[in-house]
Amino acid sequence: MTEIIILGTFHFNSMPEYIFSQKVQQELDVFTDKIKEIKPTKIAVEIPKIFQNELDSFYADFMLADIEKNFILGTVEFWGHQFSFKSVNEVVQVAFRSGRKLGLEKIYAVDYPTELSDELEEKIKSEYSDYEKDLSMIRKMNGSSEDIISKYRIHNSEEYIFVDNGMFSKMNKVNLGNYEGTQYVLQWYDRNLRIFSNLQNICKDGDRVLLLIGSSHLKILKDLVNGDPDMILIENKNWL
């Protein structure tokens, strides 16, 4: 049996000034001490599996002493473009930091780069009357706390998961003659099913795996874990 802890996150890359403030760095240190206390034997992250070698290299070169600095760890090539992998990233600030504290030799990449259709999304939004209201509700919850641990509690709360996942359910309703909403949601489920397959394939009996992933994935991935007889979902309410 493998124990799975899924930690929903927000993405750090758009807020370097906030992330590298002394206050938030101290909070992240406390937060990752909490992760250390739950003793995961593996940490999986929202990086495409095809970049496992690059992730291994970045993690091997990463020094905990550099955690409070805004720097580029390296680059990856994706869809014909070069992308910088920066320290203002939850993978570095939470997963790498926790991994070093736990003495883990490896961080596991389990994402799959399914690209959601912008064209379908635009068609859906025109028929989804509550889109802006629901998006506004999510943004309001996102901005309701400055404290990093409180932000994580919000992103992992039942209310947040319900509203976030509900947007996909409402999108599925949109049918302009060719099930456009369903086509879009299928792309989302396709990505999550592939993420779950990647997660299943790093798990061994007796592992305790922490998956750090965007909170929009929580509902589907929790359901998938609960449906796998070789896994047991460990809720994070007791430590988060």
Side-chain angles (χ1 to χ4, degrees):
M1 186 70 71
T2 302
E3 295 180 335
I4 305 290
I5 303 162
I6 307 179
L7 179 62
T9 187
F10 55 100
H11 299 305
F12 290 7
N13 58 302
S14 63
M15 49 182 79
E17 190 173 324
Y18 169 75
I19 294 300
F20 290 109
S21 67
Q22 184 178 7
K23 173 181 176 292
V24 171
Q25 283 296 311
Q26 290 172 347
E27 290 169 356
L28 283 166
D29 198 39
V30 170
F31 184 50
T32 49
D33 281 344
K34 286 176 172 284
I35 291 174
K36 181 182 177 182
E37 288 173 8
I38 61 173
K39 300 178 180 178
T41 59
K42 291 177 179 173
I43 296 177
V45 295
E46 193 178 345
I47 295 291
K49 187 177 184 295
I50 56 174
F51 295 134
Q52 184 65 61
N53 289 340
E54 289 86 347
L55 187 66
D56 289 344
S57 176
F58 298 156
Y59 184 58
D61 293 341
F62 169 73
M63 301 294 291
L64 196 55
D66 295 331
I67 194 71
E68 297 183 11
K69 300 173 186 175
N70 190 357
F71 65 102
I72 296 173
L73 283 81
T75 59
V76 294
E77 186 171 337
F78 196 42
W79 287 324
H81 300 283
Q82 292 284 334
F83 292 91
S84 298
F85 187 76
K86 300 178 181 180
S87 59
V88 56
N89 188 310
E90 64 278 4
V91 172
V92 176
Q93 292 297 320
V94 177
F96 279 19
R97 192 191 299 239
S98 299
R100 282 284 180 259
K101 288 183 178 183
L102 287 157
L104 301 181
E105 294 183 1
K106 186 182 185 76
I107 303 295
Y108 292 84
V110 296
D111 194 11
Y112 183 85
T114 300
E115 189 174 11
L116 299 180
S117 168
D118 292 336
E119 181 182 355
L120 282 173
E121 185 178 7
E122 286 304 313
K123 289 180 179 178
I124 290 164
K125 283 161 62 174
S126 67
E127 296 295 318
Y128 176 178
S129 58
D130 290 336
Y131 182 82
E132 290 300 332
K133 184 182 81 172
D134 291 343
L135 200 59
S136 176
M137 189 182 304
I138 287 174
R139 287 172 178 159
K140 184 177 180 181
M141 285 190 281
N142 283 339
S144 62
S145 175
E146 287 297 315
D147 173 78
I148 199 83
I149 296 177
S150 295
K151 281 183 178 292
Y152 269 95
R153 286 179 182 142
I154 290 166
H155 274 260
N156 289 270
S157 67
E158 291 182 7
E159 180 186 8
Y160 191 95
I161 294 169
F162 179 79
V163 174
D164 202 347
N165 187 73
M167 291 189 71
F168 288 101
S169 294
K170 291 179 180 180
M171 287 177 181
N172 186 68
K173 181 181 177 181
V174 176
N175 182 0
L176 302 173
N178 199 26
Y179 294 94
E180 287 79 3
T182 300
Q183 288 183 53
Y184 187 82
V185 175
L186 278 170
Q187 292 173 354
W188 178 242
Y189 268 79
D190 178 84
R191 180 181 173 195
N192 281 279
L193 284 165
R194 292 173 193 265
I195 290 170
F196 185 59
S197 176
N198 292 335
L199 178 66
Q200 287 174 306
N201 280 292
I202 69 166
C203 291
K204 291 183 171 55
D205 189 40
D207 280 345
R208 185 176 177 88
V209 181
L210 174 72
L211 171 61
L212 178 71
I213 197 156
S215 50
S216 293
H217 298 269
L218 287 176
K219 178 66 170 67
I220 298 173
L221 290 176
K222 283 188 175 188
D223 286 347
L224 290 169
V225 169
N226 280 326
D228 187 327
D230 294 324
M231 292 179 170
I232 182 168
L233 182 67
I234 306 297
E235 292 291 353
N236 51 35
K237 294 174 184 175
N238 293 330
W239 67 271
L240 181 55

